[in-house]
C-alpha cells in the first residue's frame, strides 16, 4: 500500500479524492487494472500550458522559436523525471513485479509519466489554481535559472550531438500543413540514425515545428542514455 500521507507531504498538497493520487502512481504494467495514462495525457497539456505562460511573461522580448526551445528543455522527459525524483515518486510507483525487477521505478519514462499524472490528478482534484501552485513550487528554480542568451536551438544541439558520435545528420520532412494563410500549423518529422521511429511535432512555422521535433529526438536520446 502507498503511504498517502507521505506522498501528500512531499507534494505539499492534500487530496480531497485520494483515489486520484493512487491512480496517478499506477503504472501501465499493472495489466487489467486502471493506470495513469489518461492522467498523464492531461498533465502533459497542463504542464505545457503552465511553462508556456510562464516563459511568455518572463521573456517578453523573445520570439516564438526561442520560447519553444526553452519550453522544450523544461518539459522534456529528463527534466520531468528529475522533478519526480525530487518528490521521491520512484519510491511510491505501483508497478507489476516484472517491471520492478527490471528497475522500472528508475526509468526516465516511468518517472516523467508519473509527474505528469500527478499534475493531472491535482488539477482534477483541486482545479487550475491548485495545480499552478504545485507547478510554481516545482519549477521556480528552473524558471529562475534558465537563460535565453547563448542557448543553442534544438536543431543545432542535435546536429552537434550526432556529429560528435560520427552519426549521419538528421532528416526533416514536412508532413503537412493546416489552417488559413495567416495562421498555418506545420507538421514536421525528424529521423535520425539509431532510432527506428520518426519524431513528429507541430508549430506555427516550419522552423518552429522542426525545432520542436529536434527537441523530441534529444529527449529520446537522453532517455536512452539514462535507461542504459
Amino acid at each position: 500500500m502507498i503511504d498517502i500521507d507521505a506522498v501528500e507531504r512531499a507534494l505539499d498538497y492534500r487530496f480531497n479524492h485520494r483515489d486520484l493520487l493512487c491512480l496517478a502512481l499506477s503504472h501501465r504494467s499493472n495489466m487489467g487494472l486502471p493506470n495513469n495514462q489518461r492522467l498523464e495525457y492531461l498533465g502533459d497539456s497542463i504542464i505545457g500550458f503552465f511553462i508556456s505562460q510562464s516563459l511568455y511573461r518572463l521573456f517578453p522580448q523573445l520570439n516564438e522559436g526561442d520560447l519553444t526551445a526553452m519550453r522544450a528543455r523544461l518539459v522534456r522527459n529528463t527534466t520531468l523525471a528529475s522533478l519526480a525524483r525530487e518528490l521521491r515518486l520512484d519510491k511510491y510507483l505501483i508497478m507489476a513485479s516484472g517491471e520492478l525487477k527490471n528497475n522500472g521505478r528508475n526509468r526516465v519514462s516511468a518517472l516523467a509519466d508519473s509527474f505528469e499524472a500527478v499534475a493531472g490528478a491535482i488539477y482534477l482534484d483541486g482545479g487550475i489554481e491548485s495545480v499552478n501552485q504545485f507547478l510554481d513550487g516545482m519549477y521556480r528554480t528552473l524558471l529562475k535559472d534558465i537563460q535565453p542568451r547563448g542557448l543553442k536551438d534544438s536543431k543545432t544541439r542535435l546536429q552537434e550531438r550526432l556529429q560528435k558520435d560520427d552519426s549521419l545528420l538528421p532528416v526533416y520532412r514536412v508532413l503537412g500543413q493546416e489552417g488559413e494563410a495567416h495562421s498555418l500549423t506545420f507538421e514536421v518529422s525528424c529521423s535520425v540514425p539509431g532510432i527506428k521511429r520518426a519524431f513528429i511535432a507541430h508549430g506555427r512555422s516550419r522552423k518552429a515545428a522542426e525545432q520542436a521535433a529536434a527537441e523530441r529526438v534529444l529527449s529520446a536520446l537522453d532517455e536512452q542514455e539514462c535507461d542504459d
Side-chain angles (χ1 to χ4, degrees):
M1 293 293 293
I2 304 175
D3 187 343
I4 298 293
D5 290 329
V7 182
E8 289 183 331
R9 285 194 297 270
L11 298 176
D12 194 23
Y13 178 79
R14 182 166 292 278
F15 278 82
N16 297 302
H17 305 282
R18 286 183 159 186
D19 56 314
L20 283 170
L21 178 56
C22 292
L23 184 61
L25 296 174
S26 298
H27 189 257
R28 62 178 178 270
S29 61
N30 297 302
M31 301 298 292
L33 297 175
N35 61 60
N36 63 8
Q37 286 183 294
R38 283 172 54 84
L39 285 175
E40 170 203 338
Y41 159 80
L42 181 61
D44 174 64
S45 296
I46 292 168
I47 295 169
F49 177 75
F50 172 82
I51 294 300
S52 296
Q53 180 178 252
S54 298
L55 293 175
Y56 184 86
R57 291 173 174 172
L58 286 170
F59 301 100
Q61 77 282 12
L62 294 186
N63 60 34
E64 178 196 5
D66 291 333
L67 291 171
T68 298
M70 293 174 74
R71 180 184 63 191
R73 292 179 62 190
L74 292 170
V75 302
R76 62 188 179 185
N77 275 3
T78 48
T79 300
L80 297 176
S82 177
L83 294 174
R85 289 191 182 97
E86 284 185 31
L87 297 170
R88 301 188 69 187
L89 295 185
D90 54 314
K91 180 179 179 181
Y92 302 107
L93 282 177
I94 304 169
M95 291 181 157
S97 57
E99 190 72 16
L100 290 172
K101 290 178 181 178
N102 288 322
N103 201 29
R105 281 181 171 166
N106 288 316
R107 292 189 189 279
V108 170
S109 57
L111 289 168
D113 291 349
S114 69
F115 185 83
E116 291 175 335
V118 164
I122 291 176
Y123 168 73
L124 290 179
D125 186 76
I128 193 65
E129 290 187 8
S130 294
V131 75
N132 278 345
Q133 184 175 357
F134 165 69
L135 292 173
D136 181 67
M138 296 304 303
Y139 272 102
R140 187 172 299 147
T141 299
L142 290 174
L143 285 168
K144 180 180 178 181
D145 291 344
I146 193 167
Q147 295 294 328
R149 292 183 179 178
L151 177 67
K152 293 181 180 178
D153 63 58
S154 301
K155 289 180 66 176
T156 300
R157 289 188 290 118
L158 177 58
Q159 182 170 322
E160 290 179 349
R161 182 165 181 169
L162 294 175
Q163 288 176 332
K164 183 179 179 181
D165 296 332
D166 295 323
S167 298
L168 298 175
L169 296 179
V171 176
Y172 299 91
R173 292 188 175 89
V174 177
L175 302 179
Q177 59 188 57
E178 296 180 350
E180 302 296 330
H182 64 280
S183 60
L184 286 174
T185 297
F186 289 80
E187 183 178 56
V188 169
S189 70
C190 178
S191 303
V192 299
I195 301 182
K196 294 181 179 179
R197 70 184 182 93
F199 293 79
I200 299 173
H202 300 81
R204 295 292 297 276
S205 66
R206 176 175 176 172
K207 178 181 178 181
E210 289 178 347
Q211 295 288 0
E215 186 62 41
R216 291 192 174 187
V217 178
L218 286 166
S219 295
L221 292 173
D222 287 342
E223 183 176 336
Q224 195 175 67
E225 289 181 356
C226 291
D227 287 342
D228 286 345

